[in-house]
Amino acid sequence: EKTRGITMKSSAITLHHSYRKEDYFINLIDSPGHVDFNGEVSTAVRLCDGALLVVDVVEGVCPQTVTVLQQAWSECIKPCLVLNKCDRLITEMKLTPEEAYTHLQRVLEQINSKVGELHSSTVMEKENLVYSKARAEEPDEEGDEQYYNWGSGLDLEANDDSHLYFSPERGNVVFASAQDGWAFRIENFAALYQRKMGIRAGVLQKTLWGDYYLNMKAKQISKGAYEKGKKPLFVQFVLDSIWNVYRAVLLNRNNDKIDAIVSSLKLKIAPRDARSTDYRVHLFAVCSAWPPLASAVLDMCCEQMPSPLDLSPEKISNLLCSGVTSIEQLPKETQDLAEAFRKCSGNDNDPLIVYVSKMFSVHPTSISTNKHRPLTDAEIEKRRDAARLRNQQKLTVNFNPQPIELGPKPDEEEQEENEVEKEEFVAFCRVYSGRISQGKQVFVLGPRHNPQTIASQSSSTHGVNVHVGKVALGPTHMM
């Protein structure tokens, strides 16, 4: 991964974040974006409640972007958008703030058009399903003549899809530059200019993105910026500020402007970074202090992503029956598990529900419980004394040259083989209900397990279901 500079395997991490005086634990899975590792994306999507769709603003919507969006849509999880590499609009494409704003609008429209296509196809599938059921239940009195009932109520106009689209004023879009360490949402600048200009943050939240401009004579925000040749608010209040930072630090070096920017925003820059001859280092120090990348992205996750307690019925249905059938057609015992999904309780008395997304082999040192712990001061001092003693023994012993042996010793070869064989096979999973512990007996449902035919399968195999196994859990690890 380091050599190629891309992500090849999904990796998970748990982050603690405070947002609006509340603490959140965010389980984040980083999945590859390359088309060759599409299976890793499917693995991550099945375990998550939301998705961060990262799009390069220069390249725009690529085939892999559409594929990932379709996967998130099919799994009924809520996506949020991160428009990354905005710095390339300044350093590579050399766009003005007005041109960059037009370019960002175009990219956002392309992504929303794909969302609209997915919504339209879903509505049409539901419409066809209702139509097929109606045709099966009601006899055709007109013979072979086909008809279509337009009054089923599932047409596109009857479905409100405004909440599905990415819109900066709704807070589900982040503008970012991961290389330079900055990111922001509309509300970040709305709060800033509320303090500076006294304009309500709620008004700025709705008008910073769109065809609005600041009418200084009337002292109000008016619509029709393009028609009247005015700067849109997003250009005047947001992009101009970012462009000024890049011009002062990177493009046209101006130390006086840098000091003015740092003092006006009350940023704390390390003296070492300020004196660095590499302007990129100085730029990263300024941009990562305001607006920071991590805060903007994690704030959006806390605000927009659903809690595990708000698991949608469609998501529960996909997990229980994989979209092959509906929950109503499953046995009552299986239907009762839907309530366990919704409760998301970790008590011992609750049914244990674990979804295994993939299995892979790892070296024992990669497991958290086997990682070397930090040494204590006493252990460090003990090792230092042992190293001094060995050094003294080497100085006192006379030099006796020994013949050079080529190749590893037999004992070393056996040790290397044992290290290779020591790899452990682990399951990457998510616990939806109950509490998992080592030694607990669980049932493993195979890929061909069907709750509807479990009775007939057991009777045909003398009470043994070949698609259900019983195992004892081994050690558990946090990824």
Side-chain angles (χ1 to χ4, degrees):
E1 292 185 354
K2 292 181 180 179
T3 303
R4 298 182 63 180
I6 59 174
T7 305
M8 299 172 63
K9 292 184 179 180
S10 296
S11 57
I13 187 174
T14 300
L15 302 174
H16 172 261
H17 183 63
S18 297
Y19 178 64
R20 293 180 179 175
K21 299 182 180 180
E22 291 186 4
D23 293 334
Y24 293 85
F25 282 99
I26 302 173
N27 297 303
L28 183 66
I29 301 178
D30 178 25
S31 59
H34 198 274
V35 66
D36 292 344
F37 311 104
N38 197 34
E40 294 290 330
V41 181
S42 303
T43 298
V45 166
R46 295 307 299 268
L47 299 180
C48 296
D49 300 321
L52 288 173
L53 180 65
V54 183
V55 178
D56 187 337
V57 294
V58 176
E59 297 180 1
V61 179
C62 302
Q64 183 63 8
T65 307
V66 180
T67 302
V68 172
L69 195 58
Q70 289 174 341
Q71 289 177 324
W73 186 273
S74 62
E75 293 297 331
C76 304
I77 65 176
K78 183 177 181 179
C80 290
L81 181 62
V82 178
L83 294 176
N84 193 26
K85 300 186 180 181
C86 292
D87 60 292
R88 295 181 63 188
L89 302 177
I90 309 172
T91 58
E92 295 182 17
M93 299 183 69
K94 307 294 183 181
L95 299 181
T96 63
E98 292 82 0
E99 294 171 342
Y101 179 51
T102 304
H103 181 82
L104 291 171
Q105 284 182 315
R106 189 182 305 115
V107 173
L108 193 60
E109 289 174 0
Q110 292 174 356
I111 300 172
N112 283 332
S113 66
K114 299 301 178 182
V115 176
E117 292 176 5
L118 293 173
H119 175 68
S120 301
S121 61
T122 303
V123 172
M124 294 303 296
E125 288 177 2
K126 292 181 179 180
E127 181 73 21
N128 292 334
L129 182 61
V130 172
Y131 170 68
S132 301
K133 288 183 178 180
R135 291 286 293 170
E137 295 175 357
E138 299 178 4
D140 189 2
E141 299 178 357
E142 300 180 2
D144 296 334
E145 183 180 355
Q146 298 292 327
Y147 73 94
Y148 189 83
N149 181 16
W150 293 97
S152 58
L154 289 177
D155 56 275
L156 293 175
E157 294 182 358
N159 286 267
D160 182 17
D161 58 347
S162 60
H163 63 285
L164 302 175
Y165 296 103
F166 300 111
S167 179
E169 60 266 23
R170 296 178 65 90
N172 58 1
V173 178
V174 165
F175 303 90
S177 170
Q179 182 180 8
D180 294 334
W182 59 265
F184 67 89
R185 290 193 298 163
I186 291 294
E187 68 172 22
N188 299 125
F189 280 89
L192 174 66
Y193 285 103
Q194 181 185 22
R195 295 192 299 268
K196 283 190 172 184
M197 305 180 64
I199 306 175
R200 292 199 307 270
V203 175
L204 290 172
Q205 179 82 15
K206 297 178 181 179
T207 57
L208 270 177
W209 182 266
D211 190 23
Y212 298 94
Y213 71 98
L214 182 63
N215 191 338
M216 295 300 296
K217 292 182 178 180
K219 294 185 179 181
Q220 64 180 10
I221 296 175
S222 306
K223 198 169 184 178
Y226 287 108
E227 181 182 353
K228 298 180 180 179
K230 302 291 185 179
K231 270 189 180 182
L233 288 179
F234 190 78
V235 175
Q236 183 179 358
F237 287 172
V238 180
L239 296 185
D240 280 348
S241 303
I242 297 174
W243 258 246
N244 289 334
V245 173
Y246 273 81
R247 291 192 188 104
V249 180
L250 192 64
L251 302 179
N252 303 315
R253 185 75 175 183
N254 191 324
N255 293 325
D256 294 336
K257 287 186 177 180
I258 296 173
D259 295 338
I261 292 172
V262 171
S263 60
S264 63
L265 296 176
K266 299 179 181 180
L267 305 180
K268 294 182 179 179
I269 306 299
R272 181 184 60 184
D273 296 333
R275 294 191 303 266
S276 177
T277 56
D278 187 357
Y279 294 163
R280 274 285 180 182
V281 175
H282 196 181
L283 178 66
F284 183 85
V286 174
C287 294
S288 59
W290 181 88
L293 172 66
S295 298
V297 175
L298 295 180
D299 285 352
M300 181 175 65
C301 292
C302 296
E303 181 183 310
Q304 299 290 330
M305 300 293 182
S307 166
L309 295 173
D310 300 327
L311 206 62
S312 64
E314 294 81 8
K315 179 71 174 178
I316 296 175
S317 177
N318 284 347
L319 292 171
L320 283 176
C321 46
S322 301
V324 177
T325 183
S326 61
I327 296 181
E328 292 76 12
Q329 297 176 348
L330 299 177
K332 183 180 182 303
E333 292 79 4
T334 306
Q335 295 182 28
D336 293 340
L337 295 178
E339 183 61 28
F341 272 103
R342 284 187 284 268
K343 287 176 58 179
C344 192
S345 177
N347 297 326
D348 292 329
N349 298 330
D350 294 310
L352 178 61
I353 303 176
V354 180
Y355 188 90
V356 178
S357 183
K358 70 171 182 177
M359 302 190 71
F360 55 95
S361 60
V362 296
H363 196 271
T365 56
S366 301
I367 299 175
S368 58
T369 54
N370 296 336
K371 290 183 179 179
H372 297 291
R373 61 176 177 82
L375 297 176
T376 62
D377 294 338
E379 291 172 338
I380 294 175
E381 186 65 26
K382 186 177 180 180
R383 291 194 177 191
R384 188 181 293 113
D385 294 340
R388 290 197 191 101
L389 181 61
R390 287 195 301 268
N391 190 28
Q392 291 176 0
Q393 291 175 351
K394 288 180 181 179
L395 294 175
T396 56
V397 175
N398 294 328
F399 178 73
N400 295 321
Q402 299 293 333
I404 301 175
E405 297 182 2
L406 300 177
K409 297 180 180 179
D411 295 341
E412 294 178 354
E413 292 180 352
E414 293 180 1
Q415 185 177 1
E416 290 179 359
E417 292 179 358
N418 292 335
E419 288 180 355
V420 174
E421 294 175 356
K422 281 181 181 178
E423 288 194 348
E424 297 185 6
F425 206 54
V426 297
F428 187 64
C429 60
R430 173 182 173 181
V431 180
Y432 282 94
S433 175
R435 179 174 296 180
I436 192 170
S437 59
Q438 184 176 353
K440 196 168 188 176
Q441 298 286 333
V442 297
F443 292 97
V444 180
L445 308 182
R448 296 186 179 181
H449 168 69
N450 187 354
Q452 294 177 291
T453 59
I454 187 171
S456 59
Q457 290 175 354
S458 300
S459 60
S460 61
T461 54
H462 306 286
V464 179
N465 192 336
V466 295
H467 301 306
V468 179
K470 188 175 183 180
V471 298
L473 296 176
T476 57
H477 314 283
M478 291 290 293
M479 300 298 291

